[in-house]
Amino acid sequence: MGMSGSLRRTAGVVTGLVLTAALGTPSAAADGAGDGVDVAVVPGRAEAGVATAKNLQVMSWNMCGSQRSTWHCEGTGTPQQKIDVVRYHVQNNYVHAALLQEVCEDDLTQLMDRLGPGWSKNFVPYQWSQGADGKWNSRCGEDTGRADRIGTAIVLKGQMADAREYPLTQPYVGQQRPFQCATAVYWNVRLCNVHTSPLGSNPDHPTWDYRDDQLAEIKGIVNTFPRTVFGGDFNALPPDDPDDKDAWVWPAGLYSTGPGTEGYQECDQTGASRTGRPTHDSGRKIDHLFGSETRRWCAVADSAYSDHHVVIESVAVPA
């Protein structure tokens, strides 16, 4: 869902999906019109020192899968079209892991069936809190519609270990969004799925901002992992974006200012510039992928089937 006031696409119109690699050489260009995507890969320079490493491609995508009107995902395609976008990138861009936000549980089950054996998943639901009156899992549909839950998921090719949710500061009243991690056993990399609370998440206190606390807590968690890739819908512009009035929410030492500096390099940043291509139909970048390992290439791919774009990062993990 992300920022309000987004520009919606018509589900029946297949828009061009341009997947531009900032670094290295991903898969060859391919036509995926059958899945509602059309991909052109543009290679660039490669990072050094990755010849003997295992490649790991991680995809992050807010699917805007809710069928509840208050989530504003109307006109972003059918569940099957969204599933096909994930499958397309698995098949054509060799995605090994997907960090999915706003995915309905029954749709996730269908995705796993389509991916076939050898894939693992972990799902954590969103929850709506009424404060002292308790909280409950968020539904995919209206109160009289689909009753399956909506949440975030980590989907992995191969064995997954130690999948868990980590508690973050959350609005006492309103939508609560989980932070979860799981280990990709083959690569021995800790994958984490982020969805922070946008400004206004607490209806009783719409001016309260939880992102600074949440990002500081996420930094403290991922810093304990020897190897990690973490990403998702941060609901925050990059700190060097000229339109970012809330750069203060980013804790020192999370968003690297370039190789050799403290923190984690973001998938789409160039050198010390903490910016990147838009990842949302509003024309802003609010989805981010960070990694502790050497970046090989980064791709941003538009889609007719969500208001968020797909972000894919390839990293080199020492063998």
Side-chain angles (χ1 to χ4, degrees), residues 223-298:
N223 279 356
T224 67
F225 306 140
R227 296 174 178 173
T228 185
V229 176
F230 61 100
D233 181 356
F234 283 68
N235 278 307
L237 298 174
D240 294 339
D241 189 307
D243 293 328
D244 189 1
K245 305 300 190 295
D246 301 319
W248 60 271
V249 304
W250 292 97
L254 190 152
Y255 211 128
S256 167
T257 55
T261 65
E262 184 184 7
Y264 301 89
Q265 187 175 29
E266 203 276 326
C267 176
D268 205 33
Q269 78 178 100
T270 302
S273 178
R274 296 177 299 175
T275 59
R277 288 165 285 180
T279 64
H280 189 265
D281 280 356
S282 63
R284 300 178 178 181
K285 177 177 174 62
I286 59 174
D287 304 88
H288 309 269
L289 262 176
F290 297 93
S292 62
E293 305 308 295
T294 301
R295 179 180 61 176
R296 296 181 61 246
W297 51 264
C298 179

Side-chain angles (χ1 to χ4, degrees), residues 1-3 6-9 60-64 76 101-102 195 232-235 278-282 284 286-287 301-311:
M1 183 166 54
M3 291 186 170
S6 64
L7 301 176
R8 297 292 171 185
R9 298 187 183 276
S60 176
W61 190 34
N62 184 323
M63 298 176 70
C64 205
T76 61
Q101 304 90 48
E102 297 187 21
H195 197 174
D233 181 356
F234 283 68
N235 278 307
T279 64
H280 189 265
D281 280 356
S282 63
R284 300 178 178 181
I286 59 174
D287 304 88
D302 195 359
S303 172
Y305 303 131
S306 176
D307 56 350
H308 288 254
H309 307 338
V310 173
V311 182

